[in-house]
Amino acid sequence: MYTKEYREEELCGWGNYPCTHGNVFRPERIADLSEILSKERMTVLARGGGTSYGDASINADGLNIDTKRLNKMLHFDSSNGILHCQSGVTLQEIIRTFLPRGWFLSVTPGTQFGTVGGCTACDSHGKNWKDGSFSSYVKGFNLMLHDGSIIYCDEKNNSNMYYATFGGMGMTGIILDVCIELKNISSSYVEVETVRFNNLKELFDLIQESWNSYHYLFSWIDSHKEGNNMGRGILQRANHVNDGDLHYTERKRISIPFNLPGFVINRYSVETFNALFYTKASFDKNRKRLHLMDYFYPLDGIADWYRVYGRKGFLQYQVAIPNDNAFETISDLLKIIARTKLGSTVAAIKPILKSKGLLSFPINGFTLAVDFAYNEETRQLLDELDRIVTSNGGRVYLAKDARLNADNFAKMYSESLLEWETVRKEYGVTNIFNSLMFNRLRGFK
Amino acid sequence: MNVLIIGASSGIGKETAHVFSQKGHAVICSSRDQKELEYLVSDLKIRYGNSAYAVPLDLTDRLSIKQFLDDVYKIYKKIDCIVVTAATMPGNEMKYYSEEGLINTTMTNYIGIALILNVISQHMVNNNSGIIICLSSVAGERGRQSNFIYGASKSALITYLQGLRGMLYRHNVQVTTVLPGYVDTLMSYGKIKGSLAVSPVYAAKKIYSLIDKKRNTVYIPPVWWLIMKIIKSIPETIFKRLKL
């Protein structure tokens, strides 16, 4: 057998910040991976689609395991929708294979280019907040530890590792294959109703009103509006339709061929866009039928989205705030964001439901996500927002993060962080799996 | 068509299995790693819903090849097409005079393959039809000091296929030699820049397009025809001084 070597590659997150070079190995067989791990002394990190926004999938001074070629589907049980597949299978591959047969992902994040392994490690969530997050549908998985040994984790076997891996951001081992439960559907369309709202209060009322009758809820808000119109925007609520029209066609992707100059995203361009977008919604039919691909993955149509923000890339700040003080806290955050005018065109609010992973992001409450072009001013603003989020029992979503500090991380995830560390120690993986993100966050006490 | 793919568990072979299966052909996937073969076969069946079989094969084990062929002909009465992508390369840490490296490489890249083709070509002659697509390498076209144990095995395979082509020509059996340049598989991973290599999916689609084309020798990607023309034209007195 030929010698297995590493390749130096540029490693970036979805937001193109940070970007760095690192050693990558891309196994084609499980045996390739166990061979490397059994003799490797560097720290290791699994990297799937690279669709986390910041530095979660980058291991700058260790070894990055590119899992994209570990993408075989191993078993599918059509009686219960459980798919057993390797971790490098992308959500797109699952949709392409199963949508025409009437199955869809039970929970999906906003991109189809993520992998099953990545969604498990991040415990991604979607627009169907009532259904929980990705981990709610992960029945079990095989995890490779530092020495190349493999353990099976589910609610009964190695259950502490099972819960530690959801939201564990790859720090518990390399997820090899996952059993996930798909959802039976009878059409590849959803019926979407679009409703405009004038401020945050109206949005919360609308969400309340929609809880029971809509499966998917998502709202876009204008992060620049202050005063009475603060938090104005558009709510999309949707349900599956039952017309039996099941089909999948590959969408063409438009590519942004180069980085736009940094000044393209500025206060005025964002405000103009936001105003047009808000106005346009009133002309749209308020009920329309949308293909699942167009509803769930609107940004996937544009390759290299980060280039809109210029060379430096962008940050997304996504936080979850507990129900009790969600409205007040999100108001406070929006007030500050609107004052600085740093927010970009993408800003969203959704309800969210507590998940089972030790470090899973979702809690019972609401989540706010805002994009910012990367710069020093943004960093300072986000540090300020962290303080508000922390003191209100909220937390930052690590899959989107590139700048949270160790102290705030420890406060936000204090509920189960120590337990998580204990599990990692028990399995001897503490100093083996690492990432740029964890380098930053590991200083916690 | 009934298709047999030798070397299917990774790289070009795996993608070739995908292309054939997706186009509706039955495939038998063979390679050493039985577990990976079973994974691949499940994957093909789930994605495309066509028949796929796993039959393990160790090309370095001469005595097991007969058993392998028996197993294959138990599944198919007739093989319409065989694609050979299996290959090995002695590791960098292995000196050129390593006995193990020489025997292992020659068995896998030439002798094992020839033993299989010897039998299958007989069946194809009897049926008066068949397609043999066999991957060698541009490394087999000129011996270079950096990689000549590998190159020599590939060179032997090229010569073998030339002879076989002539032999089978009048029996309506296509024999196509494929000479890949850099392909982004584990064999070249980390040894060359990723951007210089074509994807194994590209290579697999090219291979699929060769069916019924009666081509003799094909370079993947085609630019390697020109590169090899130049490399082959360098006089030996100069070539031996080049650290290639």
Side-chain angles (χ1 to χ4, degrees), chain B residues 35-184:
Chain B
K35 191 137 206 137
E36 285 296 333
L37 282 180
E38 278 159 15
Y39 289 167
L40 174 66
V41 163
S42 316
D43 190 35
L44 297 176
K45 284 187 191 160
I46 292 172
R47 286 182 200 239
Y48 314 118
N50 298 315
S51 337
Y53 311 87
V55 182
L57 163 70
D58 183 353
L59 287 166
T60 61
D61 181 3
R62 188 160 69 89
L63 300 174
S64 73
I65 285 177
K66 191 181 170 311
Q67 182 61 48
F68 166 75
L69 288 163
D70 286 349
D71 293 345
V72 167
Y73 278 107
K74 250 178 236 153
I75 298 170
Y76 295 155
K77 283 206 177 62
K78 177 176 167 235
I79 296 171
D80 299 300
C81 174
I82 172 170
V83 181
V84 182
T85 64
T88 189
M89 195 187 269
N92 285 350
E93 73 286 352
M94 219 173 245
K95 298 280 184 252
Y96 73 89
Y97 46 78
S98 145
E99 191 178 309
E100 188 203 338
L102 176 65
I103 292 174
N104 195 27
T105 306
T106 314
M107 279 303 295
T108 307
N109 295 358
Y110 172 51
I111 298 174
I113 293 171
L115 286 170
I116 290 172
L117 291 182
N118 283 348
V119 175
I120 290 178
S121 62
Q122 286 301 310
H123 285 262
M124 289 182 167
V125 165
N126 292 339
N127 293 321
N128 205 35
S129 74
I131 299 166
I132 296 172
I133 298 173
C134 186
L135 270 64
S136 180
S137 167
V138 293
E141 292 213 301
R142 186 138 201 195
R144 292 172 300 126
Q145 57 178 291
S146 59
N147 200 11
F148 62 90
I149 298 299
Y150 174 78
S153 67
K154 289 296 194 180
S155 179
L157 187 60
I158 291 173
T159 313
Y160 171 88
L161 292 168
Q162 282 169 343
L164 192 69
R165 183 178 302 121
M167 187 86 109
L168 301 186
Y169 173 67
R170 73 208 64 164
H171 297 286
N172 196 33
V173 178
Q174 171 189 348
V175 179
T176 302
T177 309
V178 176
L179 301 175
Y182 295 139
V183 183
D184 189 17

Side-chain angles (χ1 to χ4, degrees), chain A residues 1-3 5-7 9 24-26 28-30 32 69 71-75 93 98 101, chain B residues 9-11 14 32 36 39 42-43 46-47 88-89 91-93 184 186-187 189-191 194 200:
Chain A
M1 220 8 88
Y2 28 85
T3 36
E5 292 181 23
Y6 304 151
R7 179 152 98 186
E9 282 181 19
V24 184
F25 178 67
R26 187 189 56 203
E28 303 227 354
R29 290 166 287 230
I30 300 299
D32 302 330
R69 292 216 178 150
N71 65 342
K72 294 175 174 124
M73 298 186 189
L74 308 177
H75 184 74
E93 288 176 278
F98 291 100
R101 299 179 214 172
Chain B
S9 75
S10 67
K14 172 187 154 194
R32 225 177 336 190
E36 285 296 333
Y39 289 167
S42 316
D43 190 35
I46 292 172
R47 286 182 200 239
T88 189
M89 195 187 269
N92 285 350
E93 73 286 352
D184 189 17
L186 211 48
M187 191 187 269
Y189 193 83
K191 300 179 182 92

Side-chain angles (χ1 to χ4, degrees), chain A residues 76-78 80-83 90-113 116 125-128 131 133-134 137-138 180-190 215-216 238-241 245-249 251 290-298 300:
Chain A
F76 180 66
D77 185 342
S78 56
N80 56 16
I82 291 181
L83 171 69
T90 62
L91 304 183
Q92 183 183 36
E93 288 176 278
I94 294 181
I95 299 166
R96 187 190 287 147
T97 308
F98 291 100
L99 183 55
R101 299 179 214 172
W103 298 95
F104 191 66
L105 297 156
S106 300
V107 166
T108 172
T111 174
Q112 51 182 323
F113 302 123
V116 168
H125 57 273
K127 294 174 176 157
N128 46 339
D131 298 336
S133 53
F134 205 81
Y137 302 91
V138 173
I180 53 167
E181 188 180 341
L182 302 183
K183 169 165 81 174
N184 209 194
I185 51 166
S186 52
S187 166
S188 30
Y189 288 89
V190 278
H215 207 88
Y216 300 103
N239 282 319
H240 287 283
V241 297
D245 182 356
L246 288 164
H247 72 273
Y248 171 83
T249 38
R251 295 288 190 273
L290 270 183
H291 195 275
L292 291 170
M293 295 293 103
D294 301 320
Y295 180 65
F296 285 105
Y297 313 112
D300 279 353

Side-chain angles (χ1 to χ4, degrees), chain A residues 75-290:
Chain A
H75 184 74
F76 180 66
D77 185 342
S78 56
S79 69
N80 56 16
I82 291 181
L83 171 69
H84 182 201
C85 65
Q86 289 187 315
S87 59
V89 170
T90 62
L91 304 183
Q92 183 183 36
E93 288 176 278
I94 294 181
I95 299 166
R96 187 190 287 147
T97 308
F98 291 100
L99 183 55
R101 299 179 214 172
W103 298 95
F104 191 66
L105 297 156
S106 300
V107 166
T108 172
T111 174
Q112 51 182 323
F113 302 123
T115 60
V116 168
C119 289
T120 305
C122 296
D123 197 3
S124 311
H125 57 273
K127 294 174 176 157
N128 46 339
W129 64 281
K130 269 185 286 190
D131 298 336
S133 53
F134 205 81
S135 62
S136 316
Y137 302 91
V138 173
K139 301 298 167 193
F141 51 81
N142 277 307
L143 192 69
M144 189 177 276
L145 304 180
H146 55 288
D147 52 358
S149 62
I150 298 171
I151 57 168
Y152 180 72
C153 306
D154 63 9
E155 281 175 4
K156 292 200 185 87
N157 306 288
N158 297 302
S159 63
N160 48 1
M161 203 52 156
Y162 175 72
Y163 295 112
T165 297
F166 300 125
M169 308 307 287
M171 295 302 107
T172 56
I174 297 178
I175 301 166
L176 295 180
D177 49 72
V178 182
C179 290
I180 53 167
E181 188 180 341
L182 302 183
K183 169 165 81 174
N184 209 194
I185 51 166
S186 52
S187 166
S188 30
Y189 288 89
V190 278
E191 187 172 76
V192 186
E193 188 187 356
T194 305
V195 191
R196 295 209 304 183
F197 50 87
N198 290 312
N199 54 47
L200 197 62
K201 180 77 183 68
E202 281 187 33
L203 169 63
F204 271 68
D205 292 344
L206 266 173
I207 290 176
Q208 203 78 43
E209 169 203 312
S210 320
W211 301 100
N212 295 321
S213 40
Y214 291 88
H215 207 88
Y216 300 103
L217 284 182
F218 171 79
S219 70
W220 168 87
I221 54 165
D222 183 342
S223 68
H224 285 237
K225 283 285 164 203
E226 295 180 87
N228 286 340
N229 280 332
M230 189 189 72
R232 84 167 185 186
I234 299 157
L235 175 80
Q236 282 195 328
R237 44 191 189 188
N239 282 319
H240 287 283
V241 297
N242 289 316
D243 59 7
D245 182 356
L246 288 164
H247 72 273
Y248 171 83
T249 38
E250 205 88 10
R251 295 288 190 273
K252 282 238 160 58
R253 295 184 82 191
I254 310 164
S255 174
I256 301 171
F258 51 83
N259 293 322
L260 298 182
F263 60 78
V264 168
I265 297 289
N266 62 42
R267 174 181 172 176
Y268 303 101
S269 65
V270 170
E271 279 175 11
T272 311
F273 174 89
N274 285 358
L276 286 172
F277 196 71
Y278 182 75
T279 315
K280 180 183 161 286
S282 65
F283 295 109
D284 281 353
K285 262 197 287 186
N286 67 356
R287 269 173 195 279
K288 60 182 171 188
R289 208 164 148 269
L290 270 183

